[in-house]
Amino acid sequence: MNSIAGGIDGVAEMLNDRIDTFYAELFDRIDDLVLDPLYNELGAEFEAALAIAQNNGPDLFSDYRTTYADPLLDQYVYDPDNPDSGILFAQLDQLRGKLDAPFGIVQEIDKRLAKLEQTLVAITGQLYVTQNGIEIDLPEVDIERIVPGILSKNGDGKRDVVVNIVTALIGELVEDPLGAAIAEQLTEGETAIQQQLDELLAEAEPTLAEIEKIVNDLREEVTMIRGKLAEAGEIHDALTAILDEAEMEMRAVAMEVRATADEFLDELEAEYARLYPTEQLEQIPNPFEEYPREEVTALLRQKLVDEVGAAPFVKKIQYTLKQYLYDLNGTVENTIDNVFAEVNVIIRELISETVVELEKEINPMLSDLSDTVGSGQIDGVAHFRGDALTRLRLDGSFEWQVPEPLQFRGYMEYLQLDSDAPGSCGGDSGDKLTEVSMGALDIPLEWISPGMRADVGAKFSMIYAAEADLPVYPAGLAGSFQMTGGELGFEAFTIFDLKAAVAFGLHENYIAAGAGMIISSYEASGGIFLGKSCSADPILLIDPLAGEVLGDGVFLGAYAYGEAWIPISEAALGIPASCMFRVSAGIGAGVFYFVDGPVFGGRMLVGASGEALCAVSIRGDVSLVGVKDGGEFRFNGRGRLQGKAGPCPLCLKFSKTAKVKYDSKWSVDL
């Protein structure tokens, strides 16, 4: 659990408008190397100046400031005659990320993304504990312990960790001796309670499998972003350009901290001149014994934090990070909430069925909606960034009459978004955007077609503008639908894939749709996107491969793709296609054009498949997406080969995927 919390918190701190958490390591180092030794030496030098003044030396404070204090402030904080010589400026300059620097922006971001990747592996993969720490890939050193992920499966295909979490939590939620007795029954194997748990896990399996796929996709996205942080990567280059221009701003930060230190000494001198006349030198105490270290260093550190937080280069860094990480962070938080919401449902239902028969009737909602909508068993979680509520999520059981009773588990999510950029797709600078999403994963749609399941969602947003005549007004409305299982059968054809998304509003206006169907022995699929979107999400809905070259940003234009698999054994040879004998060829093509970003590009697929004796089958295909961005061409794609031999479930299966990439040179990752 620590791996999960650490990865989420690390990214959230990068996006926090309060910078003291993200830059805490830098500020702590400045405490150790600048503020603490400065305080110590100011106190020691005051003793030396006082001793000289008591022996008929020069004016105490005049001599102390010019001979002792000012040189120390020049050395530790800021020297007006030599701005680059201060230790404080040298520490601030570490932000610019020399590879050997103790703290650098690029290194710190990559470290936190590595933690996030560890978080995702802790859900679906396994972690290796070694003497060097926690590894996500099989290490070369000795392994002390292997920690399976929450959704990982054992050799029998069972999710043991989920079972262990349910068992442990029930032992805590239900008072002993009943809680201990249930936990014991769950660990003894073939018991009635264990059977009920197995049934609940089987019921939840489609949702858990969908979440597992999302987590694995997120890990690939994190890996891609870390690649962009590497030298010559686009995020690395963007941050480097910001930091290269930040030298004067860093000097200004050091200069303001020096001014605060000077003001403190000025006030100290005025206070001592009032309390201790010149003839009472022998009674003057050391002010650095009167003013404790914590008070003085806290004054200077707060000034440092305030000035760094207000520096334009820090604002630019925050904006850049939000461009690449805001949506990723929200999706990760949402996915992890889904994991624990599903575990929570299993626990509730198991307790309900075996302990107190908790009431699970779908309670009518208020108003006239009670005839068509009901809700029950609502749970929630809130996310705060600093002191601000940025996200609230509620999970519950619902029933709709559509037209037959449909019971499902859904969610409602509230997001508070800020636009601190100089105007963007999401809103103008300073806009406060409230976004509310509702939906459900992998819900059964038996009333449409037996076995059919789908993800559904809706989203609407409101803008808050205090100065406007109408302070709150609608900004947009969007919805999506995607089949996750089953088929939709008609007399002449069968639909095996169906998905659509639509949005209307101030900032996004688009329609996206895709479908896959089988007509006789012919298979066809395709999709289209038209309009403007603030992200690539609607395009990824119809073609996930496109996201590997499109990247992030605003998309204004069109995308269209189609492919078909033709049974050439039937079309060319006249042999009816069946599992006894079938040879098919696949071909696909697509094109897109956007006003911004990758301006234009294309999509292609070629493939072949075969089947014989209803026992042996093989299929292979190669898909590529290419874009022309400026004067450069880039291609991303994959090749897949899969097959099986023998009757299932005893069949022997194999599958292999290779990633292909061209970015000034070709690379293949098997």
Side-chain angles (χ1 to χ4, degrees):
M1 296 300 176
N2 290 336
S3 294
I4 292 175
I8 297 173
D9 292 344
V11 176
E13 287 172 358
M14 288 194 287
L15 302 175
N16 197 334
D17 291 334
R18 293 181 54 187
I19 66 160
D20 48 334
T21 52
F22 179 47
Y23 297 95
E25 183 180 341
L26 173 69
F27 295 142
D28 290 344
R29 184 177 294 106
I30 289 174
D31 276 348
D32 295 338
L33 299 180
V34 179
L35 303 184
D36 287 345
L38 174 63
Y39 176 89
N40 293 337
E41 294 193 36
L42 285 173
E45 296 295 359
F46 187 88
E47 290 286 354
L50 179 59
I52 294 173
Q54 289 171 343
N55 290 320
N56 298 317
D59 177 73
L60 171 60
F61 269 97
S62 175
D63 180 54
Y64 174 64
R65 289 294 296 272
T66 58
T67 306
Y68 301 101
D70 286 347
L72 286 174
L73 293 177
D74 290 344
Q75 174 189 349
Y76 281 103
V77 184
Y78 179 78
D79 182 356
D81 298 326
N82 190 6
D84 296 343
S85 65
I87 299 175
L88 175 58
F89 175 78
Q91 291 302 310
L92 290 172
D93 199 45
Q94 302 285 354
L95 290 174
R96 298 169 71 180
K98 309 290 191 300
L99 292 178
D100 57 346
F103 179 90
I105 291 291
V106 173
Q107 295 94 311
E108 183 67 15
I109 295 170
D110 187 66
K111 182 172 71 175
R112 290 169 182 253
L113 287 175
K115 272 296 227 184
L116 179 60
E117 191 171 7
Q118 188 180 102
T119 292
L120 298 173
V121 174
I123 296 175
T124 61
Q126 57 184 14
L127 300 174
Y128 303 93
V129 180
T130 72
Q131 60 184 8
N132 300 328
I134 298 176
E135 306 282 348
I136 61 175
D137 297 315
L138 188 63
E140 297 181 357
V141 299
D142 292 339
I143 299 172
E144 297 177 0
R145 186 160 54 99
I146 297 178
V147 181
I150 294 175
L151 297 183
S152 62
K153 295 182 178 180
N154 64 15
D156 297 328
K158 295 183 178 179
R159 302 188 188 272
D160 287 342
V161 179
V162 174
V163 174
N164 293 339
I165 292 174
V166 171
T167 303
L169 290 178
I170 284 181
E172 292 187 12
L173 292 172
V174 183
E175 295 184 0
D176 288 337
L178 192 54
I182 295 175
E184 182 179 352
Q185 288 285 309
L186 287 172
T187 58
E188 288 187 353
E190 298 298 328
T191 64
I193 296 178
Q194 180 65 55
Q195 184 178 356
Q196 289 175 345
L197 177 58
D198 290 342
E199 291 174 356
L200 289 172
L201 287 171
E203 183 179 325
E205 179 58 30
T207 302
L208 294 177
E210 179 72 11
I211 294 172
E212 186 176 11
K213 179 180 179 300
I214 293 172
V215 171
N216 290 332
D217 290 343
L218 286 171
R219 184 185 175 189
E220 288 188 8
E221 186 173 351
V222 172
T223 301
M224 180 181 67
I225 292 176
R226 293 186 68 190
K228 294 179 179 180
L229 273 171
E231 192 168 355
E234 61 183 89
I235 304 179
H236 180 280
D237 290 348
L239 294 175
T240 299
I242 293 171
L243 292 168
D244 283 346
E245 298 175 356
E247 186 173 350
M248 293 300 295
E249 296 173 29
M250 293 179 184
R251 287 201 190 103
V253 170
M255 184 169 59
E256 290 298 326
V257 176
R258 168 66 186 262
T260 299
D262 285 332
E263 289 172 9
F264 170 76
L265 292 177
D266 290 342
E267 293 173 2
L268 189 65
E269 180 178 357
E271 181 71 7
Y272 267 49
R274 183 179 64 83
L275 295 175
Y276 305 103
T278 306
E279 61 270 14
Q280 299 179 5
L281 283 175
E282 68 280 355
Q283 300 179 17
I284 295 180
N286 189 328
F288 294 94
E289 294 176 358
E290 298 290 316
Y291 292 90
R293 176 202 311 272
E294 293 76 14
E295 184 177 334
V296 177
T297 57
L299 171 70
L300 298 179
R301 173 165 176 153
Q302 188 58 55
K303 183 63 176 177
L304 172 67
V305 172
D306 292 344
E307 291 299 323
V308 171
F313 79 90
V314 170
K315 296 294 186 184
K316 293 175 183 176
I317 289 171
Q318 286 181 309
Y319 173 56
T320 301
L321 292 181
K322 287 181 178 181
Q323 278 188 307
Y324 289 97
L325 299 178
Y326 205 104
D327 289 341
L328 172 67
N329 181 61
T331 305
V332 170
E333 289 180 348
N334 181 63
T335 302
I336 292 174
D337 287 346
N338 280 337
V339 173
F340 289 103
E342 199 64 29
V343 171
N344 186 48
V345 168
I346 293 172
I347 292 173
R348 280 182 174 273
E349 294 194 3
L350 189 62
I351 293 176
S352 175
E353 294 176 12
T354 60
V355 184
V356 292
E357 290 298 321
L358 296 177
E359 182 182 358
K360 291 171 43 183
E361 295 181 358
I362 303 298
N363 300 315
M365 300 176 81
L366 297 177
S367 79
D368 295 337
L369 288 176
S370 59
D371 292 336
T372 56
V373 182
S375 67
Q377 289 185 304
I378 295 180
D379 303 292
V381 62
H383 292 269
F384 291 86
R385 187 163 295 140
D387 298 326
L389 175 64
T390 59
R391 183 165 175 264
L392 174 67
R393 179 186 173 91
L394 298 175
D395 294 274
S397 297
F398 299 89
E399 180 180 287
W400 287 354
Q401 299 288 340
V402 284
E404 300 296 327
L406 167 64
Q407 292 188 10
F408 66 94
R409 292 192 294 271
Y411 67 88
M412 187 281 289
E413 187 173 45
Y414 160 95
L415 291 174
Q416 183 67 48
L417 307 175
D418 298 328
S419 175
D420 56 5
S424 64
C425 181
D428 296 327
S429 180
D431 278 353
K432 302 290 185 181
L433 185 69
T434 297
E435 186 176 279
V436 178
S437 302
M438 295 172 289
L441 293 175
D442 206 48
I443 63 171
L445 298 176
E446 300 285 342
W447 55 276
I448 296 180
S449 179
M452 184 175 171
R453 308 180 73 89
D455 293 344
V456 295
K459 178 176 69 176
F460 64 90
S461 55
M462 307 287 288
I463 284 182
Y464 173 75
E467 305 302 324
D469 295 335
L470 184 64
V472 179
Y473 56 91
L477 176 67
S480 64
F481 173 92
Q482 183 175 13
M483 280 179 58
T484 58
E487 297 177 339
L488 187 57
F490 296 90
E491 184 174 349
F493 61 91
T494 298
I495 296 175
F496 62 85
D497 184 26
L498 185 62
K499 46 205 173 186
V502 63
F504 301 101
L506 296 177
H507 308 297
E508 291 187 303
N509 289 277
Y510 64 78
I511 182 170
M517 64 182 67
I518 297 175
I519 305 173
S520 184
S521 299
Y522 295 75
E523 181 180 324
S525 60
I528 187 170
F529 165 86
L530 293 170
K532 177 186 177 183
S533 171
C534 291
S535 71
D537 289 346
I539 304 171
L540 298 182
L541 178 70
I542 60 174
D543 186 4
L545 187 62
E548 298 185 13
V549 294
L550 292 181
D552 300 314
V554 180
F555 296 91
L556 174 59
Y559 183 100
Y561 174 72
E563 70 176 66
W565 287 80
I566 302 170
I568 57 176
S569 56
E570 178 179 313
L573 304 177
I575 303 174
S578 69
C579 67
M580 290 298 297
F581 181 73
R582 179 205 312 261
V583 177
S584 297
I587 187 169
V591 65
F592 57 86
Y593 175 84
F594 299 109
V595 175
D596 300 310
V599 175
F600 63 86
R603 169 86 151 83
M604 64 172 294
L605 173 140
V606 291
S609 67
E611 190 172 6
L613 303 178
C614 297
V616 179
S617 65
I618 187 170
R619 176 168 172 152
D621 61 67
V622 176
S623 300
L624 282 175
V625 180
V627 299
K628 185 176 186 296
D629 193 355
E632 300 292 329
F633 284 93
R634 290 184 287 119
F635 296 91
N636 264 63
R638 64 177 178 230
R640 297 180 298 185
L641 182 65
Q642 57 189 14
K644 66 177 183 178
C648 291
L650 302 177
C651 57
L652 177 64
K653 296 182 179 180
F654 68 90
S655 178
K656 187 66 176 178
T657 300
K659 292 187 176 181
V660 182
K661 182 178 181 180
Y662 176 82
D663 193 348
S664 74
K665 64 179 181 179
W666 288 99
S667 63
V668 179
D669 183 12
L670 298 176

